Amino acid sequence: MAGCVHSGKKDGKQEAKKGRYADLTDNQLLDTVQYQTFQYFWDGAEPNSGMARERIHMDNEYPQNDQNVVTLGGSGFGVMAILVGVDRGFITREEAFARYRKIVDFLAKADRFHGAWPHWLHGETGKVKPFSKKDDGGDLVETAFMIQGLLTVAQYFKHGDAAEQQLASDIQKLWEEVDWNWYTKGGENVLYWHWSPDYGWDMNFPVGGYNECLIMYVLAASSPTHPIQPAVYHEGWTCHRAIEKDTVYYGLHTVLNHYEHNNDPVGPLFWAHYSYLGLNPHGLSDEYADYWKLNRNHALINYRYALDNPKGYKGYGKDQWGLTSSYSMKGYAGHHPGEADLGVISPTAALSSFPYTPKESMQFLKYLYLKADSLVGEYGPYDAYSDTYHWYTPHYLAIDQGPIPVMIENYRTGLLWKLFMQNEDVQNGLKRLGFTVAPDSAKAED
C-alpha cells in the first residue's frame, strides 16, 4: 500500500540520521503501524492452523519451547486485524478468505469444552495446551474474544458468493455451539471464567466487573442457542451493583469501580480495548455507565499520570505514556497507574487508545517512529520497554499487537465497529440487557 514502510532499512547517511520513518505524514505513519502489526497475524501466523502465535520472539528465545502455541483471544483480535488488511489493501479479499477458511476449519476440530475453547491450543494438533495445571479446559473469556472477531468476519462475508456465505454459516455454527449458560455453574447469577473436564470448577473464578470482560456478558446474553438470563449480568457482572462506585482520579471520573477487591483507581488500559474492538462505545450506555466516557477517561487518566510521573521514571511524559499488562523486567505484569507502575511503557496502551485520545496517541506514535525507531521491529512496536531500567527486548505478544491495527481502524473509519454492531444476535443481546446504542451503530451498510 502506498505510504507503507515495509521491513528493511534505507541506505545513506542522511537517511540514517533522519530515521527510517522521518518523511512520513501522519496518515502514512498510521498506515505503517497498521501494516506492521497486521503482519504479526499474517506472515507471523502458525502455519497449520492459521491462528496467531501466543508470542513471537525475534531473538528466537523460547524458554518454554512454545513458539507454536496459539492463543484464542489473540487470534480473535487477529481475525479482525486481517479485515483491516483487506480494507487497507495489504492483502486481497480472496487471500483473507483462504486464511479464514483455514482458521474456522481448525477451530471446528480443535478441543472445546461445552463449546468453549481453551486459552491455548497446540497449533499443530488443535489439542489443549494447559494455561496452568487446572486451567486445561474451557476459557469463556478467551472464547468471547474469539467469537467477537469471528462474528465480525461473518458479517463481512455473509452477502458474498456461495463459498463466502458458507464461511459465514460455519462461523454461525461455532457461535451457536458455545454453551454460555453452562458457565453459570448450574444456574448461578454469574459467569465463571473456566471449566475443566478433570478439575471441574476448581479454578472458581466468577467474573465480576469492571474489567476486560464486558464483551463476554454481552455475547452470553446474545446467544441464539444458550443465552444467559439478564440477571446473570445485572447481579454477577455488577457484583450486586458494587460496580457503580465511581472514583475521581487525576480530575476525571472512573465512572465504574475498576477493582472489586482493593482500592486501586484504574486497571490496565487494555480494559478499554479488548471488549471494544467490535462493541462500539460511542453512544453505548446502560443503567450503570456511559461507556465512551468510561474509556476516554481511562485513557486520559493514563496520559495525565504520565505527565505527573509520581515515581519519577525516566521518559514518562506527553510522548511516552500508557500502562497496561505486558512483558516487563519481572515477566508478564499488570501495569497500571499506582503501585503497579514498574516504569514500563507498553506501546499497545497508547496506540490502541487512538479512538479516545487521538492527539495524545499520535504524540506517542511519532515518538516511537521518529525518535525511537529502535523500539520498532518487523511486527510493529515491541511489546514493552523501560528507559529507567534500560530494558529493551525484541519480543511480541499477540494480545498486545492485535488491538493496535483494529482500534486504529475504528478511529479512522469505524470499520470493525460497524460490522460487529450490525449482527442481529448482538443487537438482540444488548436490548435484553437494557443497553442503549448510538442510532447508527446497527445500520446495515449500503
Side-chain angles (χ1 to χ4, degrees):
M1 177 174 179
C4 272
V5 174
H6 296 235
S7 59
K9 294 184 179 180
K10 299 179 181 179
D11 296 325
K13 293 182 179 179
Q14 183 179 10
E15 191 64 40
K17 183 177 179 181
K18 291 170 63 180
R20 289 177 285 169
Y21 309 101
D23 295 327
L24 299 186
T25 65
D26 288 2
N27 278 332
Q28 288 172 331
L29 280 172
L30 291 172
D31 291 342
T32 298
V33 69
Q34 285 186 288
Y35 174 81
Q36 291 171 339
T37 48
F38 148 81
Q39 285 292 352
Y40 183 101
F41 304 95
W42 191 250
D43 283 348
E46 192 282 319
N48 177 63
S49 62
M51 301 265 284
R53 290 181 164 101
E54 165 69 11
R55 64 191 89 247
I56 296 178
H57 294 175
M58 305 308 287
D59 56 11
N60 207 33
E61 291 185 5
Y62 294 94
Q64 299 179 30
N65 194 30
D66 57 355
Q67 53 266 49
N68 288 326
V69 170
V70 297
T71 167
L72 265 294
S75 293
F77 306 161
V79 297
M80 301 175 89
I82 290 171
L83 282 181
V84 174
V86 177
D87 204 59
R88 290 277 152 197
F90 305 154
I91 54 172
T92 65
R93 182 185 180 103
E94 293 72 24
E95 288 173 316
F97 170 81
R99 177 63 61 83
Y100 289 134
R101 189 68 268 174
K102 175 181 285 191
I103 291 171
V104 169
D105 290 345
F106 175 82
L107 288 171
K109 297 174 183 177
D111 282 349
R112 279 189 283 173
F113 306 88
H114 295 274
W117 294 283
H119 190 120
W120 285 336
L121 291 165
H122 290 287
E124 302 97 331
T125 65
K127 298 299 181 183
V128 61
K129 158 74 172 174
F131 191 71
S132 64
K133 180 182 178 180
K134 294 185 178 182
D135 189 356
D136 63 347
D139 184 313
L140 201 62
V141 176
E142 294 287 307
T143 294
F145 297 149
M146 187 77 244
I147 291 293
Q148 177 181 218
L150 289 176
L151 292 182
T152 307
V153 170
Q155 197 68 33
Y156 186 85
F157 285 104
K158 67 182 294 185
H159 298 301
D161 61 24
E164 292 180 349
Q165 290 180 38
Q166 185 60 52
L167 175 69
S169 178
D170 291 343
I171 289 173
Q172 183 70 17
K173 184 173 185 292
L174 294 177
W175 157 228
E176 292 180 358
E177 288 173 346
V178 181
D179 191 348
W180 305 89
N181 199 49
W182 167 265
Y183 285 83
T184 62
K185 195 176 169 180
E188 295 183 22
N189 282 339
V190 67
L191 283 169
Y192 282 80
W193 197 307
H194 317 88
W195 179 82
S196 163
D198 296 320
Y199 300 99
W201 303 103
D202 281 4
M203 291 290 290
N204 194 32
F205 199 137
V207 183
Y210 183 72
N211 50 47
E212 75 273 27
C213 302
L214 177 64
I215 189 66
M216 178 181 69
Y217 275 89
V218 169
L219 289 172
S222 302
S223 171
T225 50
H226 304 286
I228 58 170
Q229 293 301 311
V232 178
Y233 175 77
H234 292 294
E235 295 181 23
W237 169 247
T238 73
C239 303
H240 298 277
R241 304 192 76 103
I243 198 174
E244 293 179 292
K245 179 184 176 184
D246 187 10
T247 301
V248 176
Y249 191 46
Y250 282 93
L252 294 164
H253 289 273
T254 63
V255 180
L256 293 178
N257 179 16
H258 281 220
Y259 278 96
E260 181 182 356
H261 301 297
N262 60 43
N263 295 318
D264 293 332
V266 291
L269 198 43
F270 74 85
W271 291 3
H273 307 144
Y274 289 4
S275 283
Y276 306 98
L277 301 183
L279 191 63
N280 186 355
H282 278 286
L284 183 72
S285 63
D286 63 5
E287 61 185 284
Y288 312 108
D290 173 335
Y291 291 91
W292 179 258
K293 181 179 179 181
L294 183 152
N295 290 323
R296 176 167 162 75
N297 284 4
H298 193 176
L300 284 172
I301 285 169
N302 267 257
Y303 181 73
R304 293 183 183 183
Y305 178 87
L307 294 181
D308 183 41
N309 192 13
K311 295 190 175 184
Y313 287 127
K314 183 179 178 182
Y316 277 33
K318 68 181 182 64
D319 293 336
Q320 298 187 65
W321 64 278
L323 305 179
T324 194
S325 297
S326 70
Y327 280 137
S328 77
M329 305 80 63
K330 301 180 180 180
Y332 191 76
H335 315 287
H336 57 79
E339 290 304 309
D341 176 14
L342 302 179
V344 173
I345 295 290
S346 311
T348 186
L351 297 180
S352 300
S353 296
F354 252 99
Y356 313 125
T357 51
K359 182 185 78 171
E360 295 84 356
S361 295
M362 181 58 75
Q363 288 168 185
F364 182 75
L365 179 64
K366 287 183 173 180
Y367 169 78
L368 278 178
Y369 281 78
L370 304 184
K371 298 180 181 179
D373 66 2
S374 63
L375 299 175
V376 178
E378 182 176 353
Y379 301 125
Y382 296 124
D383 189 61
Y385 69 92
S386 174
D387 284 346
T388 297
Y389 296 101
H390 306 287
W391 177 77
Y392 313 95
T393 308
H395 292 175
Y396 294 105
L397 287 172
I399 55 171
D400 289 341
Q401 296 310 102
I404 297 173
V406 174
M407 290 300 275
I408 289 177
E409 193 60 37
N410 280 332
Y411 159 66
R412 299 179 86 179
T413 68
L415 173 69
L416 295 312
W417 285 339
K418 292 173 185 175
L419 290 168
F420 181 78
M421 296 297 285
Q422 288 166 13
N423 182 278
E424 291 184 6
D425 292 335
V426 172
Q427 293 174 34
N428 292 335
L430 287 167
K431 289 176 183 176
R432 287 188 75 217
L433 296 182
F435 278 86
T436 300
V437 300
D440 59 348
S441 285
K443 287 184 179 178
E445 292 178 318
D446 295 332

